[in-house]
């Protein structure tokens, strides 16, 4: 099952407040490239009737059914990469890079 860390959840909530997206779900998507690496996408969106819906760390998450197998074992985190530089990362054991930034 896809998970969100507390650090990522706090930042998602903050981004929703700053961007006027409160009440919207976090939409996730992924694309697997031929070399086994993944590209990740995320943004706030409205729920559609075909979406898979769940919550993690108080964040409502949605994704189209075709992305569930690609993201099932992944975790979204928000980490400090360098001094003063923070980014969301996807940690996915199925990704050839194991983690990637969107």
């Amino acid at each position: 099952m896809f998970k969100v860390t507390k650090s990522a959840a706090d930042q998602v909530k903050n981004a929703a407040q700053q961007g006027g997206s409160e009440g919207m779900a976090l939409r996730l998507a992924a694309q697997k490239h031929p070399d086994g690496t993944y590209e990740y996408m995320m943004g706030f969106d409205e729920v559609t009737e075909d979406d898979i819906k769940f919550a993690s760390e108080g964040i409502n998450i949605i994704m189209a059914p075709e992305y569930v197998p690609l993201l099932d074992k992944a975790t979204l985190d928000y980490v400090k990469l360098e001094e003063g530089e923070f980014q969301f990362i996807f940690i996915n054991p199925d990704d050839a890079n194991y983690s990637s930034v969107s």
Side-chain angles (χ1 to χ4, degrees):
M1 173 62 84
F2 184 87
K3 294 182 278 189
V4 176
T5 66
K6 177 159 180 16
S7 176
D10 290 345
Q11 186 58 30
V12 167
K13 290 173 187 174
N14 185 42
Q17 287 176 339
Q18 290 181 0
S21 299
E22 290 177 285
M24 297 181 82
L26 182 66
R27 180 173 296 281
L28 302 174
Q31 180 180 10
K32 186 174 183 179
H33 296 288
D35 65 358
T37 62
Y38 282 55
E39 180 179 350
Y40 302 97
M41 291 131 307
M42 65 181 194
F44 297 106
D45 200 3
E46 298 289 337
V47 179
T48 68
E49 72 176 49
D50 294 334
D51 284 331
I52 304 299
K53 302 172 266 300
F54 58 97
S56 178
E57 290 293 325
I59 302 298
N60 291 320
I61 299 168
I62 55 175
M63 64 179 80
E66 64 265 25
Y67 300 122
V68 173
L70 298 173
L71 294 167
D72 184 49
K73 300 174 194 167
T75 300
L76 176 65
D77 201 357
Y78 188 72
V79 298
K80 180 178 178 179
L81 297 178
E82 294 180 17
E83 191 60 40
E85 183 182 344
F86 291 82
Q87 283 191 301
F88 286 105
I89 63 168
F90 286 83
I91 303 166
N92 187 344
D94 291 337
D95 188 335
N97 287 333
Y98 195 73
S99 67
S100 182
V101 177
S102 174

